[in-house]
Amino acid sequence: MSSVKTYRKAINEALHEEMARDSSVYLIGEDIAVYHKGGGPSRVLGGIEEGFGSKRIIETPICEGAIIGSSVGAAFMGLRPVAEIMHSEFLSVAMQHLLYGGSKAVLLGQTDTCPVVVRTPYGGMDPGIPFQDESNEQWFIGVPGLKVVLPSSPHDAKGLLKAAIRDDYPVLFLEHKGLYASEGEVGNDDYVIPLGKGRIVQTGDDVTIVSAGRMVHDATKAVNELMGRGIHCELIDLRTIHPFDEELVLKSVEKTGRLIVFLESKLAGSIGNDIISTVVEKQFGTLKHGAVRLCAKNIASTSAPSVKDLVLAVSGLVKK
């Protein structure tokens, strides 16, 4: 059974269910309890403090380094912290703990597990501002041992967050600001979506479009418009961008022979670069034409590619 819920509510349900299932799960972050009347900065946490109490809902001052550092330490000791950072840009203050304290400690054998989840809103809004409206996931895809998740729908947000909390290694869970109020069917059962596995949103034979997060919605609009012109695109939602579902992408490109990556992250360091490099290295012969990157420009303000940009790119690629 399923019902229509918002992206925000789906995340709330995942946290409720996992905290009820496992007493080692707790939440920590700025303003997640009293200050926003229990809702947290993103209004995601409604009802959780009342249900689980202050020992499992730890409200902190503005101290991102301490939030992540203490969470990594708690994870080493067998707890499963879910840390909330108010804006993804603020993670720059905590990179030392996320990179060296958590991810590398596991890889270097200093600990067997480090089950810490970091939740944070990301992404541009219209109009955006340079310091709190970035899609900066490219900062983290080069961190060995760190999984990076970008859910695009309420259904995926719930299933992926539950999987992240149950994972024994560090997970960065990025929630797009523009999706919190979006609605979709969400299962009422206890389901998880495996990290690292993408999904095919729309099948097609002409062009493979690879996207993630909010951009999947714009890509879907473009795919529907192109279908009316007789162009059938295969749209892949990565869900997890590190590691990304290499097998799914390669299989799709082998079928279509054309590839476009459509992402909100800036062009420099984008996961799109890794996707295209992987395709070129492993099956260059299947590409009929050069791959196309549609990403944000390397400037401070919000500048994500549009539905029109994607329609034009696909049309041009098919004509070649």
Side-chain angles (χ1 to χ4, degrees):
M1 295 290 294
S2 65
S3 55
V4 175
K5 296 167 187 173
T6 65
Y7 188 92
R8 180 179 280 115
K9 179 61 175 176
I11 294 170
N12 180 282
E13 281 193 358
L15 293 171
H16 262 285
E17 291 174 13
E18 290 306 297
M19 292 183 75
R21 184 187 64 84
D22 186 347
S23 61
S24 69
V25 179
Y26 71 92
L27 309 185
I28 182 171
E30 299 161 2
D31 301 341
I32 66 171
V34 177
Y35 187 78
H36 287 294
K37 299 180 180 179
S42 301
R43 305 299 191 272
V44 168
L45 306 180
I48 293 183
E49 184 187 21
E50 294 89 335
F52 298 97
S54 59
K55 287 187 177 180
R56 295 180 67 188
I57 310 294
I58 302 174
E59 187 166 62
T60 74
I62 299 174
C63 55
E64 290 82 6
I67 293 168
I68 304 303
S70 67
S71 296
V72 169
F76 287 164
M77 300 305 295
L79 296 177
R80 291 185 176 270
V82 180
E84 178 168 340
I85 300 299
M86 193 178 296
H87 296 283
S88 61
E89 292 83 356
F90 296 171
L91 277 169
S92 59
V93 182
M95 281 294 284
Q96 175 183 355
H97 302 291
L98 194 59
L99 173 56
Y100 292 102
S103 302
K104 280 198 175 181
V106 175
L107 293 174
L108 295 174
Q110 295 172 333
T111 180
D112 291 332
T113 62
C114 184
V116 58
V117 177
V118 179
R119 291 181 43 247
T120 186
Y122 80 103
M125 300 292 284
D126 188 17
I129 57 176
F131 301 106
Q132 292 182 2
D133 275 335
E134 288 187 285
S135 185
N136 53 356
E137 61 268 27
Q138 72 269 28
W139 292 3
F140 309 101
I141 59 174
V143 178
L146 177 66
K147 298 180 177 72
V148 182
V149 181
L150 274 74
S152 66
S153 69
H155 174 270
D156 285 4
K158 181 177 179 179
L160 289 167
L161 182 54
K162 290 170 73 71
I165 294 172
R166 298 181 191 188
D167 199 280
D168 285 333
Y169 303 100
V171 179
L172 176 59
F173 193 86
L174 295 168
E175 304 162 7
H176 199 285
K177 299 182 186 80
L179 292 179
Y180 279 126
S182 64
E183 295 184 333
E185 290 286 337
V186 178
N188 296 320
D189 56 331
D190 179 21
Y191 70 93
V192 297
I193 297 172
L195 304 184
K197 292 295 183 181
R199 68 182 178 105
I200 295 178
V201 179
Q202 177 67 51
T203 59
D205 298 321
D206 294 323
V207 181
T208 296
I209 300 171
V210 179
S211 191
R214 184 189 67 82
M215 300 300 284
V216 172
H217 296 266
D218 284 352
T220 300
K221 294 176 184 177
V223 167
N224 290 336
E225 182 176 336
L226 288 159
M227 193 180 302
R229 303 182 186 185
I231 300 174
H232 300 279
C233 302
E234 182 143 292
L235 174 58
I236 293 175
D237 178 356
L238 290 175
R239 288 173 160 170
T240 302
I241 63 169
H242 188 237
F244 75 90
D245 195 336
E246 184 178 305
E247 181 181 357
L248 184 65
V249 172
L250 290 174
K251 185 176 180 180
S252 178
V253 174
E254 184 178 14
K255 176 175 65 172
T256 67
R258 300 178 178 90
L259 172 62
I260 292 178
V261 293
F262 184 63
L263 301 164
E264 188 176 343
S265 60
K266 292 179 174 60
L267 187 62
S270 166
I271 186 61
N273 300 336
D274 291 348
I275 292 169
I276 291 174
S277 296
T278 298
V279 171
V280 169
E281 288 174 355
K282 296 195 173 183
Q283 53 183 50
F284 178 75
T286 64
L287 284 172
K288 299 174 183 177
H289 301 285
V292 175
R293 298 178 298 170
L294 288 179
C295 299
K297 298 176 181 178
N298 294 322
I299 57 177
S301 60
T302 304
S303 58
S306 67
V307 173
K308 182 179 179 180
D309 293 331
L310 182 55
V311 169
L312 289 173
V314 170
S315 300
L317 197 59
V318 169
K319 290 177 182 178
K320 291 182 180 179

